[in-house]
Amino acid sequence: MRASDGEHHLAGAERLVAGEEVAEVTAGLARRALNAAGGESVEIVCNIEKVDTADIHYATLPCLHPYNVKDYHEGRQLAKRLLEETGVANNVATEALNMLTAGPGPNKTVMRGAVILDVHMGERMERNPARGVRVTRMDLTAECHAKQSEVLAKAGLKHRRVIEALTLSGKVLSCPGIVAELCWSDDPEYTAGYVASPAKGYRRISELKPAGQAIGGRIFFVDFGNVELSEVVNYLEKKSVLFNQPGRVFPETIWSPEDA
Ligand code: WAQ
Ligand code: MG
């Protein structure tokens, strides 16, 4: 589902469910879009596609490491360090952070999907810079959702955005060629974000932007050494990934720039 006011993206969500759940889930997504619009006029697109159950890849959600920082300045310093640790060059990491700060879409707008960045060249690869690449066809089994929600709640991470971002990122990290992901929300009131990577999992950063800022986005860093762009895009848009095992949630790390 994606909803807009005709001009700006308002909400989006992806599900992967059994046939008998489609009607109810679709109604829920429509309700969610209407809520996001808060009574204003809204355009809702719900696209329902058939998936071959034999093609579903079952997977485990990434582990989550919460990092607590004092403010978004420190959060961005941490994000930069974590990106560099995964093999993103210093200048590419800086450029990526600047891109999300400015607004990665045309004329400094929010994109509907994600930027694909060549991790070595620092070049943007997505064909349509307003749309980007949208990750779809991923979800959690009901049991996995219940278990993951419980572990997250114990860590004080009850917001729906956390489990949804963890799911999206879980699919991204399972994609061939992916080195890292950087994300923060475009919701002006939601200031947390993350850096994720296949080896280190989902590293959540409590502050990555100032409150009131409606610019956000996602950047997928890809090593194109052994993979083609079309393969990456096809995987992200078309491969069905269903998480049936929750990821571990680690205790919070209080981080400051003096820390090694
Ligand atoms: N595929 C690719 N990119 C997407 C998708 C998707 N399915 N959905 C959203 N995006 C991009 C798009 O550019 C949005 O502007 C941007 O991501 C942010 O989307 O506390 O809520 O839904 O651990 O605002 C991360 C922290 C929250 C969660 C992310 O993103 C936590 C969030 P939002
Ligand atoms: Mg949003």
Side-chain angles (χ1 to χ4, degrees):
M1 174 279 289
R2 60 189 161 82
S4 74
D5 62 7
E7 210 178 325
H8 307 102
H9 171 83
L10 292 175
E14 318 291 335
R15 300 295 310 271
L16 182 63
V17 301
E20 62 266 24
E21 293 172 62
V22 168
E24 197 187 317
V25 166
T26 309
L29 291 173
R31 243 188 328 268
R32 182 166 160 179
L34 291 165
N35 287 340
E40 298 299 313
S41 86
V42 61
E43 182 177 276
I44 308 168
V45 179
C46 281
N47 186 22
I48 298 152
E49 290 164 35
K50 183 171 174 275
V51 160
D52 192 342
T53 48
D55 292 339
I56 297 177
H57 170 61
Y58 289 88
T60 301
L61 283 160
C63 58
L64 186 152
H65 298 264
Y67 285 85
N68 196 311
V69 292
K70 196 176 79 209
D71 55 30
Y72 79 94
H73 298 288
E74 293 197 352
R76 288 183 187 181
Q77 285 184 56
L78 173 60
K80 198 162 166 242
R81 283 208 204 165
L82 297 181
L83 285 170
E84 285 178 33
E85 203 184 283
T86 67
V88 179
N90 179 297
N91 61 318
V92 175
T94 303
E95 199 184 316
L97 284 157
N98 290 342
M99 213 182 276
L100 282 201
T101 305
N107 305 313
K108 308 194 180 307
T109 50
V110 169
M111 292 168 72
R112 300 203 290 286
V115 172
I116 297 212
L117 207 61
D118 181 319
V119 73
H120 300 301
M121 311 300 284
E123 254 170 63
R124 288 178 69 157
M125 305 297 285
E126 73 283 2
R127 295 227 166 82
N128 177 342
R131 178 182 181 273
V133 174
R134 276 199 69 87
V135 188
T136 68
R137 301 192 180 186
M138 68 288 185
D139 209 336
L140 284 63
T141 61
E143 196 191 346
C144 179
H145 191 281
K147 284 186 187 160
Q148 188 70 70
S149 302
E150 194 189 323
V151 212
L152 286 171
K154 277 190 191 138
L157 300 170
K158 283 191 193 152
H159 202 291
R160 184 176 65 188
R161 285 184 188 274
V162 182
I163 196 162
E164 288 185 354
L166 188 65
T167 307
L168 190 153
S169 191
K171 179 171 175 190
V172 172
L173 297 182
S174 73
C175 176
I178 293 285
V179 172
E181 179 190 0
L182 169 68
C183 165
W184 67 78
S185 179
D186 53 47
D187 182 324
E189 300 319 315
Y190 205 85
T191 55
Y194 62 89
V195 169
S197 63
K200 301 283 186 170
Y202 183 103
R203 296 194 282 185
R204 180 179 195 270
I205 302 176
S206 60
E207 307 287 331
L208 270 180
K209 71 169 189 188
Q213 173 63 258
I215 299 282
R218 284 186 155 89
I219 301 183
F220 304 154
F221 300 81
V222 180
D223 178 350
F224 287 103
N226 290 310
V227 71
E228 299 277 324
L229 177 63
S230 58
E231 217 178 308
V232 171
V233 172
N234 189 60
Y235 185 95
L236 294 172
E237 293 185 343
K238 296 281 156 63
K239 181 71 190 167
S240 304
V241 179
L242 193 54
F243 294 95
N244 59 1
Q245 295 297 328
R248 221 179 130 187
V249 176
F250 286 82
E252 183 175 73
T253 302
I254 312 279
W255 188 85
S256 84
E258 292 78 53
D259 296 352

